[in-house]
Amino acid sequence: MSFWTKLKWSAALYCSPRGIGWNYQVKGVPAYEAPRTKANFLLNQATWLAVIWLAIDALQVYHVEVFYGGQPDIMTMPFIGTGGQHLGQRALNGVTTTLTAVYLPVQNAYTVIAMFSVLLGGSAPKDWPPIYGSNLMEMTTLRKFWNTFWHQVIRKTFLDWSHHFCNMLGIKRGTWLSTYFLLYFAFFMTAVGHGLGTYVIPHGPNATFDDRFYAWVRFFMRHAVAIHFEDFVIWCYKQVAYPGATTSNGEGQPDNRDTVSKRWHRVVGRVWVAGWWLYAMDWAMQAVLHTGVLADSPLPFSVWGPLLRAFGVV
């Protein structure tokens, strides 16, 4: 094996946190039929990139008008806030804020990296399945949502760190204690990472320490508590519905992987996950809006802004 081949192989291994095509591939990677040619892959990615840019542009214009009174200057902008909005409007704004601040930018970065990697011969189209995990309709528990959808890229890293600290503390793997140490420690690392990320960026005069850092600690740690509660409810249900049944690890701790896959289970799970997120997104939305993250477009130019201004819409 030549030096170049070894270097390419090592780089591919290092740059694949999900282990796509490797023996440590994380669970939840969606089925993906890659285009047969490089040209088709690049065309598909370029089309998807255009859709992402148009969506980010439209949502950014919307947020500036709705929350900042049309004033995008981060140091002088007013903040209108969401206090007077009804529940449906707050839920809608939570969705649009999440799309603009996290989901679409991650999709944008992933798509650009995939295009350049394939174009330069560093990887093949099959190495680039969708960045997020399985179909959202299959997310019937919060644990499954975080494990196989949202945290798919960083899950292995967080688990490795969590297992390392478990070993340092002498916590035996496979026990109830290790299960929930991993849960809370992973969300704590996520909280600190997000908090530091927003703390160091430029911010407007309305942003407090709570907005810039501590809001993320509350947001993510509440998710850990919600998953703990979810596990407990599932465990209680199985004790009543399936008395005498044991969990997959034989320890008796709640484990949502043992839930019998019945249709009404999935319906209840989807309602729970959707309801929790519509309720919880408002916590993060307030922090994102107060820091002014959405006041400035990440794109080099706007398509929708000039058009909407020309027609007097904004």
Side-chain angles (χ1 to χ4, degrees):
M1 185 182 291
S2 67
F3 173 78
W4 170 247
T5 302
K6 290 181 181 179
L7 182 62
K8 182 179 176 181
W9 183 86
S10 301
L13 177 63
Y14 181 79
C15 296
S16 184
R18 293 189 292 172
I20 303 300
W22 298 85
N23 59 358
Y24 65 92
Q25 180 171 308
V26 300
K27 62 182 179 181
V29 176
Y32 174 62
E33 185 176 348
R36 295 183 177 181
T37 66
K38 181 186 294 188
N40 285 340
F41 176 81
L42 294 175
L43 178 61
N44 291 346
Q45 296 300 298
T47 303
W48 177 229
L49 187 64
V51 171
I52 293 172
W53 279 34
L54 288 173
I56 291 176
D57 186 27
L59 290 170
Q60 196 270 336
V61 172
Y62 168 79
H63 288 130
V64 168
E65 291 299 319
V66 171
F67 297 113
Y68 305 115
Q71 171 56 266
D73 187 343
I74 192 172
M75 299 310 297
T76 61
M77 63 187 182
F79 177 65
I80 298 175
T82 61
Q85 296 178 348
H86 56 74
L87 180 61
Q89 191 172 4
R90 289 168 74 92
L92 172 64
N93 289 329
V95 172
T96 61
T97 301
T98 302
L99 287 173
T100 313
V102 184
Y103 182 83
L104 290 173
V106 170
Q107 291 275 20
N108 175 62
Y110 183 77
T111 304
V112 171
I113 293 171
M115 290 178 65
F116 275 99
S117 179
V118 173
L119 180 64
L120 298 176
S123 60
K126 64 180 178 60
D127 299 323
W128 298 95
I131 182 64
Y132 290 105
S134 306
N135 189 333
L136 269 176
M137 291 302 294
E138 299 301 318
M139 300 299 106
T140 52
T141 65
L142 290 175
R143 182 182 286 277
K144 186 175 182 181
F145 174 88
W146 285 100
N147 277 349
T148 64
F149 185 81
W150 199 263
H151 266 178
Q152 195 180 91
V153 171
I154 58 178
R155 181 174 181 270
K156 185 179 185 300
T157 301
F158 281 6
L159 278 178
D160 288 344
W161 276 99
S162 300
H163 284 308
H164 175 70
F165 278 94
C166 270
N167 294 336
M168 286 180 59
L169 297 172
I171 300 175
K172 184 180 179 181
R173 291 194 185 190
T175 62
W176 183 91
L177 181 58
S178 70
T179 296
Y180 290 102
F181 178 84
L182 296 178
L183 171 68
Y184 284 97
F185 188 76
F187 274 97
F188 176 73
M189 288 195 293
T190 302
V192 171
H194 281 75
L196 291 176
T198 54
Y199 184 78
V200 299
I201 63 174
H203 58 89
N206 299 306
T208 64
F209 175 78
D210 185 84
D211 296 323
R212 298 165 59 199
F213 184 85
Y214 190 62
W216 294 109
V217 176
R218 290 200 311 273
F219 174 73
F220 284 106
M221 296 313 294
R222 284 172 177 173
H223 278 272
V225 173
I227 291 174
H228 199 155
F229 167 77
E230 171 187 88
D231 285 351
F232 178 69
V233 170
I234 293 173
W235 178 81
C236 289
Y237 166 73
K238 287 188 288 186
Q239 302 311 302
V240 175
Y242 310 101
T246 58
T247 55
S248 61
N249 52 25
E251 295 287 343
Q253 76 256 30
D255 185 345
N256 61 15
R257 292 175 296 179
D258 295 324
T259 303
V260 177
S261 181
K262 292 183 177 180
R263 180 175 299 177
W264 76 269
H265 287 181
R266 293 195 295 270
V267 172
V268 171
R270 289 166 185 158
V271 171
W272 154 246
V273 172
W276 170 262
W277 268 108
L278 290 177
Y279 170 68
M281 278 192 294
D282 189 63
W283 305 331
M285 177 178 68
Q286 296 297 326
V288 168
L289 294 174
H290 271 280
T291 53
V293 172
L294 303 183
D296 189 29
S297 175
L299 305 177
F301 59 88
S302 173
V303 174
W304 294 115
L307 285 176
L308 294 175
R309 282 190 289 271
F311 286 98
V313 177
V314 297

